[in-house]
Amino acid sequence: MKFYFITGAQDLYGEETLRLVAKNSRAIVNGLNKAETLPFKLELKNTAISDSAITEVMLEANSDPDCGGIITWMHTFSPAKMWIEGLRLLDKPYLHLHTQFNREIPWDEIDMDFMNLNQSAHGDREHGFMAARLRKPHAVAAGYWKDAETQEKIADFMAAAAGVMEGRKLRCARFGDNMRNVAVTEGDKIEAQIKLGWQVNSWGIGDLCDMMREVPDKAVDAEFEAVCEKYELCTDDISEVKNQLRITIALRGFMKENKISAFVTGFQDLHGMKSLPGMASQLLMAEGYGFGAEGDWKTSCLTRVMKVMAEAKKTPGGTTFMEDYTYNLKKGDETVLGAHMLEVCPSIAADKPKIEVHPLGIGGKEPPARLVFESGESEAINVTLVDMGGRLRMIVQEISTIPPIHHMPNLPVAATMWRPKPDMLSASEMYIYSGGAHHFVLSQQLTYADMARFAEMVGIECVRIGDGVTMEALKQTLLINEVASRLGI
Ligand code: MN
């Protein structure tokens, strides 16, 4: 993916000024590309000096499948009426970069030519007005282009844009419907596709069984050797481990063939399967696939999108499907134990995960193999997406993950603990009041700001629960958001 860098100007100042505008823009783009602080490359487009040229480059951005978004910057003044049609048509993420070619004013040399050439200070204000006037979703980043802080702002924009663009091609395969009678994992798949691009379609579990039968034993044996190098084999039930690897290979092949990057399973729909895909889901999540249990396609797609954003951010830690399982309510030491029946991504593991086989006690199938591990210490977020009826709400709960505070020798699944912010009880009250789901994506790699940028680009509600947030403030925010949504804002 690449991003278009579009410098705005006009033809009022003569050829020489425009030559310098192009030269300086080239220097900025080359400088930013060489700095290697941005996850994606910039491509310099011709200086935008007319309405027709602007419209043309916006349409090019829209139709270029490799274009992740545009970055505009006004080197000189660029009358914003020229930008109306182009910006109106633009359908890609949009960052308005407010920078200047020179860092300092050349005190001894500054003259009127310099003033005409370097007008970002007010040229970018004229440009910003039009984005605001058009109510165009966009981001604004101010700073000198050579500064690390400025480059980080551009990188953050690109990461959110990567999530948006991933969504537009995201296909999620459902093996089984949502768990019977469960409410929060339901949702309007058409609304999700309109807003986020996510395509969610179902396949029969029998289709997966057929695919598994076609996997050659040799492929399973090779996968077994690779997995045993990466993880510690702590079971004699090799047949079940290989069963999970057969599921992994079949699912991976199916998803590659059909350009699918997220999937869901359901323990109520396992006809023909030996066991619930446990380790298979974990291995595929570690490869970057989205996953949701019990038919939870919203969390599956969100896992995939957040993994793509995290990869662009290049931050350490992991991103996984997660559920708050049970609490430690000891006064002063309140913590959440996060786990799932099986399916937690080993990207959050602090140490080498163990391969174990234990009975599940649900679903009525054979004991499934799973990776068992604990997570390390990190700042993190839990992100949930709920369907409020007619619109989607994203809730971002800020947390600190910690390794389990006590040894749990009988816990047969991967686990982490965390302390929610501002404190566990207030956080739980606010999360539950907002309608947050028991399923979410835990990420040690992304922050609320990352998710808010993403939500703004796709036009969905995003609320934060964390330090400094009170129930009173949250209720106000939810009320304003509700009113805004009813007004169609
Ligand atoms: Mn669950």
Side-chain angles (χ1 to χ4, degrees):
M1 210 162 69
K2 63 192 175 188
F3 286 76
Y4 288 5
F5 190 94
I6 305 167
T7 304
Q10 61 178 324
D11 56 11
L12 198 68
Y13 315 106
E15 292 278 310
E16 178 58 9
T17 299
L18 285 176
R19 194 186 64 78
L20 289 170
V21 165
K23 184 170 167 254
N24 293 346
S25 301
R26 169 69 60 195
I28 290 180
V29 165
N30 287 347
L32 290 173
N33 282 340
K34 271 193 204 128
E36 291 188 350
T37 47
L38 306 183
F40 303 101
K41 294 285 182 214
L42 296 171
E43 183 176 303
L44 180 66
K45 307 310 283 187
N46 289 336
T47 307
I49 54 168
S50 70
D51 54 357
S52 57
I54 292 165
T55 302
E56 196 177 313
V57 73
M58 296 300 178
L59 290 176
E60 187 189 342
N62 285 352
S63 60
D64 181 351
D66 295 328
C67 173
I70 67 155
I71 297 175
T72 59
W73 166 57
M74 304 304 115
H75 195 322
T76 71
F77 199 78
S78 181
K81 284 185 187 175
M82 296 194 311
W83 290 79
I84 292 176
E85 184 64 358
L87 286 180
R88 200 178 62 76
L89 294 169
L90 178 69
D91 187 32
K92 289 279 171 89
Y94 164 27
L95 171 70
H96 177 191
L97 178 64
H98 182 45
T99 191
Q100 188 167 273
F101 182 67
N102 54 301
R103 186 190 287 275
E104 291 177 32
I105 293 172
W107 305 105
D108 296 330
E109 285 110 56
I110 186 166
D111 57 12
M112 219 45 226
D113 284 345
F114 182 91
M115 295 279 273
N116 280 335
L117 179 62
N118 299 282
Q119 301 186 53
S120 307
H122 65 282
D124 273 330
R125 284 179 161 74
E126 166 76 357
H127 186 70
F129 165 71
M130 191 45 69
R133 174 68 179 78
L134 288 168
R135 276 80 170 168
K136 194 81 188 167
H138 71 299
V140 183
Y144 188 54
W145 59 279
K146 284 184 183 170
D147 287 346
E149 297 86 343
T150 310
Q151 293 173 11
E152 198 181 322
K153 288 179 186 178
I154 302 171
D156 284 346
F157 159 75
M158 286 180 167
V164 173
M165 296 310 293
E166 176 64 22
R168 293 192 189 180
K169 60 177 186 196
L170 201 163
R171 295 162 194 255
C172 175
R174 307 170 73 212
F175 290 99
D177 202 343
N178 298 66
M179 183 177 160
R180 280 190 283 278
N181 294 319
V182 174
V184 78
T185 59
E186 288 282 1
D188 182 342
K189 296 195 278 295
I190 294 175
E191 176 70 10
Q193 188 170 342
I194 291 169
K195 280 280 184 209
L196 305 159
W198 303 353
Q199 298 176 51
V200 184
N201 289 296
S202 83
W203 274 264
I205 195 71
D207 296 332
L208 180 56
C209 293
D210 287 345
M211 291 179 249
M212 285 169 64
R213 272 191 285 277
E214 282 165 25
V215 175
D217 291 344
K218 268 202 299 196
V220 176
D221 292 343
E223 191 91 12
F224 181 74
E225 273 187 35
V227 161
C228 288
E229 285 210 353
K230 213 166 170 191
Y231 306 111
E232 194 184 336
L233 186 66
C234 299
T235 176
D236 296 331
D237 193 348
I238 306 301
S239 149
E240 166 52 20
V241 175
K242 287 192 173 176
N243 171 54
Q244 289 290 332
L245 296 176
R246 191 175 288 278
I247 304 173
T248 308
I249 296 166
L251 263 175
R252 187 196 287 134
F254 161 76
M255 291 195 284
K256 279 203 172 134
E257 198 181 310
N258 294 285
K259 296 186 166 63
I260 291 167
S261 51
F263 68 105
V264 305
T265 59
F267 67 87
Q268 290 167 329
D269 194 357
L270 292 174
H271 191 79
M273 299 281 284
K274 186 181 163 217
S275 60
L276 178 67
M279 191 166 99
S281 304
Q282 294 177 294
L283 293 174
L284 289 167
M285 256 192 282
E287 290 173 24
Y289 289 98
F291 173 78
E294 290 111 35
D296 187 349
W297 53 269
K298 292 201 298 297
T299 310
S300 177
C301 292
L302 188 60
T303 307
R304 169 62 188 167
V305 164
M306 287 175 64
K307 277 178 177 282
V308 167
M309 289 170 65
E311 199 185 320
K313 294 265 294 186
K314 297 178 187 141
T315 36
T319 295
T320 178
F321 170 78
M322 183 56 77
E323 179 169 282
D324 13 33
Y325 228 90
T326 200
Y327 289 144
N328 181 50
L329 286 176
K330 188 179 170 191
K331 267 211 154 96
D333 203 14
E334 290 94 345
T335 35
V336 185
L337 174 64
H340 202 259
M341 286 192 298
L342 305 166
E343 312 92 336
V344 175
C345 178
S347 62
I348 64 162
D351 299 305
K352 194 174 186 174
K354 296 183 168 81
I355 302 171
E356 299 181 16
V357 177
H358 301 280
L360 192 58
I362 198 168
K365 293 283 170 178
E366 299 287 312
R370 77 286 308 272
L371 297 170
V372 180
F373 53 86
E374 294 174 350
S375 86
E377 220 170 296
S378 176
E379 291 304 288
I381 48 172
N382 290 337
V383 187
T384 175
L385 195 61
V386 293
D387 190 322
M388 297 301 290
R391 70 192 173 95
L392 293 161
R393 168 179 290 168
M394 180 178 278
I395 301 158
V396 182
Q397 165 74 68
E398 293 176 334
I399 60 165
S400 305
T401 60
I402 49 171
I405 54 177
H406 284 286
H407 189 45
M408 294 175 284
N410 292 316
L411 190 72
V413 289
T416 177
M417 295 198 92
W418 63 80
R419 299 188 203 280
K421 297 172 183 180
D423 64 83
M424 196 179 92
L425 298 181
S426 310
S428 300
E429 285 169 2
M430 291 190 274
Y431 190 93
I432 289 169
Y433 183 85
S434 329
H438 56 280
H439 284 174
F440 42 82
V441 185
L442 182 153
S443 179
Q444 301 168 323
Q445 300 171 284
L446 300 171
T447 63
Y448 163 73
D450 293 318
M451 299 319 297
R453 271 187 284 273
F454 170 84
E456 192 181 1
M457 285 181 192
V458 293
I460 62 169
E461 180 182 12
C462 182
V463 291
R464 181 177 79 93
I465 299 171
D467 281 338
V469 181
T470 61
M471 179 64 102
E472 198 183 358
L474 178 79
K475 283 182 178 177
Q476 281 280 313
T477 304
L478 295 178
L479 178 66
I480 291 167
N481 293 349
E482 182 71 27
V483 171
S485 119
R486 289 193 196 191
L487 293 173
I489 298 168

